[in-house]
Amino acid sequence: MRGPKLARLKLELFGQNVTGPRVLCLGEILFDCLANYTESTSLERAEHWTPYPGGAPANVACGLSTLGTTSAFIGCVGDDEAGSALREVLDAHQVNTAGLQVHPEAPTRQVFVLRSRTGEREFAGFGDRPTTAFADAYLDANALPVTLFERADYLVMGTLGLAYPATRAALMKSLELARAFDVRIAIDINWRPVFWPHPESAAAIVRDVLKQADYLKFSDDEARWLFATDNPAGIAPYLPQARGLLVTAGEGGCSYAFGPHTGSVPAFSVNAVDTTGAGDSFLAAFLHVLERQNESEIVASPERLQQAVRFACAAGALTVTRPGAIAAQPTVADINALLARVS
């Protein structure tokens, strides 16, 4: 783990309390409405839906807190019952909500998700509303909580917010704040074409933003979409500033490249019920290890790096064994128990 920031250290020397969330998670929070069937992939044939709290950055924030690393969520919900319910979820997980904005008119987003027999997802849209109609498309850059950045060690963000001009401006400002306050930047691609009004413009926008990241997580499909390869060592030359690249492949496990250190970790064999949020639990677990241990030593040690990735893979595997992204997130004890069983 990096040493305390200079400003924080000075305040601590003077006896001031400067505790705050170590990881900031910025982006969307929403309800995933999962179809209660596995026989069809047709939206029209789905009759019953169960809402689960979700949204990748919110999932990561809750996952970190469940593991014992303090986190904050920065995003925007509607002034409605769904928005209030999602705030309660964050509060229940002890996630800092100082950066949670409320839009007076746009509703909280709900996304309809179809599932196959193996729990694989297909995002089926937003009901009768366009993707631009929801509160998370209107995050206000001028209302970002600067004090959270002053104290944090990591900023986590996805790329869905880049689809909307207002939220894109907030994401870009958050990157500026992260650089100003020496906050490491972790980006999870989280490519979902249905969220983009103009999906054909996404790749160039996303590639440009990735140049600012210290750590990046791709699915294998996302890696091929952006760089025509799912080999992290092959992606590394395009992103020379990155300290580490992680490519997850579901049942294919995870491959990684951290400077000269490359490797892979096989997937854990589990009974998959719902794959929603597996990658978010993976990222939360990996950042938890970096935050709670010595980051510089981990990324410089092939052995410790593989242990950290394996811990993250175990977290992702456990998440798919139950429905819902946040509801299924494991504790450190859960992860260690799985690792002990397969060691």
Side-chain angles (χ1 to χ4, degrees):
M1 180 173 59
R2 289 174 297 149
K5 294 178 183 175
L6 181 59
R8 187 190 309 154
L9 180 58
K10 288 180 178 178
L11 290 172
E12 289 174 345
L13 289 173
F14 284 96
Q16 298 183 34
N17 182 5
V18 293
T19 58
R22 300 274 68 83
V23 184
L24 312 181
C25 301
L26 186 150
E28 68 280 358
I29 186 169
L30 47 78
F31 276 104
D32 288 313
C33 298
L34 272 61
N36 293 345
Y37 71 100
T38 58
E39 296 301 323
S40 171
T41 58
S42 167
L43 178 63
E44 292 75 18
R45 289 180 59 182
E47 297 180 356
H48 303 288
W49 305 82
T50 301
Y52 291 94
N59 295 342
V60 175
C62 291
L64 283 161
S65 184
T66 298
L67 294 170
T69 291
T70 56
S71 65
F73 177 76
I74 302 170
C76 188
V77 295
D79 186 12
D80 50 25
E81 184 176 346
S84 297
L86 290 171
R87 179 187 287 273
E88 291 177 2
V89 170
L90 295 172
D91 289 341
H93 285 79
Q94 299 182 319
V95 174
N96 183 300
T97 56
L100 183 64
Q101 301 175 18
V102 178
H103 196 281
E105 299 175 358
T108 302
R109 188 183 298 271
Q110 296 184 76
V111 56
F112 294 92
V113 184
L114 304 174
R115 288 182 292 170
S116 70
R117 282 183 175 274
T118 59
E120 294 298 325
R121 302 160 294 160
E122 177 186 345
F123 290 86
F126 312 101
D128 58 357
R129 296 178 185 270
T131 185
T132 55
F134 298 94
D136 58 82
Y138 300 99
L139 185 63
D140 184 356
N142 295 320
L144 293 175
V146 177
T147 54
L148 290 182
F149 288 84
E150 293 173 348
R151 302 173 182 179
D153 293 321
Y154 297 91
L155 168 68
V156 177
M157 55 177 279
T159 64
L160 294 185
L162 296 172
Y164 315 110
T167 301
R168 186 190 306 177
L171 266 62
M172 300 310 293
K173 184 172 181 179
S174 73
L175 292 172
E176 294 175 4
L177 290 169
R179 291 194 301 271
F181 294 108
D182 190 30
V183 177
R184 296 269 197 237
I185 298 166
I187 297 181
D188 182 358
I189 312 307
N190 198 31
W191 168 236
R192 303 285 181 262
V194 69
F195 281 78
W196 288 74
H198 305 287
E200 69 280 359
S201 68
I205 295 171
V206 170
R207 284 194 203 97
D208 188 57
V209 171
L210 299 189
K211 296 175 183 177
Q212 302 190 52
D214 297 292
Y215 297 105
L216 294 116
K217 185 186 83 65
F218 308 80
S219 71
D220 52 349
D221 289 338
E222 291 164 347
R224 290 189 293 268
W225 169 58
L226 290 168
F227 298 106
T229 178
D230 57 12
N231 181 355
I235 299 170
Y238 296 100
L239 301 167
Q241 88 294 338
R243 293 170 62 84
L245 306 173
L246 297 149
V247 176
T248 59
E251 293 180 352
C254 174
S255 56
Y256 57 87
F258 285 66
H261 306 308
T262 62
S264 63
V265 172
F268 291 85
S269 179
V270 295
N271 181 27
V273 173
D274 174 21
T275 60
T276 306
D280 305 325
S281 291
F282 172 96
L283 183 57
F286 186 77
L287 290 174
H288 170 75
V289 174
L290 293 189
E291 173 63 30
R292 299 300 289 268
Q293 300 182 26
N294 188 308
E295 176 192 351
S296 296
E297 291 183 3
I298 289 172
V299 300
S301 166
E303 294 79 14
R304 295 188 64 181
L305 179 58
Q306 186 163 73
Q307 289 173 1
V309 176
R310 192 164 182 264
F311 184 87
C313 286
L318 288 167
T319 301
V320 309
T321 61
R322 293 190 292 158
I326 293 174
Q329 290 172 332
T331 65
V332 170
D334 295 331
I335 297 170
N336 286 337
L338 175 59
L339 292 172
R341 287 198 302 271
V342 299
S343 60

